[in-house]
Amino acid sequence: MTYEQMLEAVRYEGAYSGTERAAETVERVLAALGRRLTGAERADLAARLPLQAALAFTAQVPSYEKLTGWGFVKDIAARSGTSPATARWDTGAVLSVVARLAGPDLLARILRSLPAGYALLFGQIDLNAGRTGA
């Protein structure tokens, strides 16, 4: 997938009026994901993203602060000055496309490496929701 195709897919998923809004959203969400993902999953995902998207993703220094999926959305909202609802919408539009680019095996590894609550952001069923340890 080219970067332009990615933007068009995000524009469609997010129901944005143009690719300019999609591009801003892609950069914002991938930068946030770049602060959360480390290790082989980070490198493997970067290799599957279009170059411009990979640059936005890898330009961020990973943070070792663990944020749940909801914390991730709130962080995006705070950094972008948008509402949590808008940040959640934007996140879903971008990460659903990222999920397709990653493929099922890499996506499963990514979700295992992140704290709870990210599966739904990637458009996946969260099989661990509501479970307690034991």
Side-chain angles (χ1 to χ4, degrees):
M1 178 181 285
T2 66
Y3 184 67
E4 290 75 23
Q5 290 169 326
M6 181 182 191
L7 293 181
E8 183 57 31
V10 170
R11 187 202 62 75
Y12 177 80
E13 290 290 331
Y16 304 128
S17 60
T19 55
E20 183 176 309
R21 171 74 197 287
E24 293 167 2
T25 303
V26 165
E27 294 211 10
R28 182 172 46 251
V29 173
L30 287 180
L33 186 60
R35 289 189 292 274
R36 300 290 149 226
L37 204 55
T38 61
E41 291 75 23
R42 179 184 174 92
D44 292 347
L45 180 58
R48 295 190 188 185
L49 294 172
L51 179 60
Q52 194 167 344
L55 292 173
F57 172 67
T58 59
Q60 302 302 307
V61 175
S63 170
Y64 291 98
E65 175 187 13
K66 299 288 184 187
L67 293 178
T68 64
W70 180 237
F72 179 76
V73 169
K74 290 193 310 187
D75 182 59
I76 290 173
R79 289 173 184 264
S80 64
T82 62
S83 71
T86 298
R88 170 60 182 95
W89 181 268
D90 292 347
T91 300
V94 174
L95 294 185
S96 64
V97 174
V98 169
R100 293 196 301 267
L101 288 168
D105 294 336
L106 177 55
L107 182 58
R109 288 178 30 221
I110 289 169
L111 291 174
R112 281 193 303 270
S113 74
L114 292 169
Y118 282 81
L120 292 174
L121 299 177
F122 282 93
Q124 305 296 303
I125 295 171
D126 189 350
L127 297 176
N128 293 317
R131 285 192 182 174
T132 58

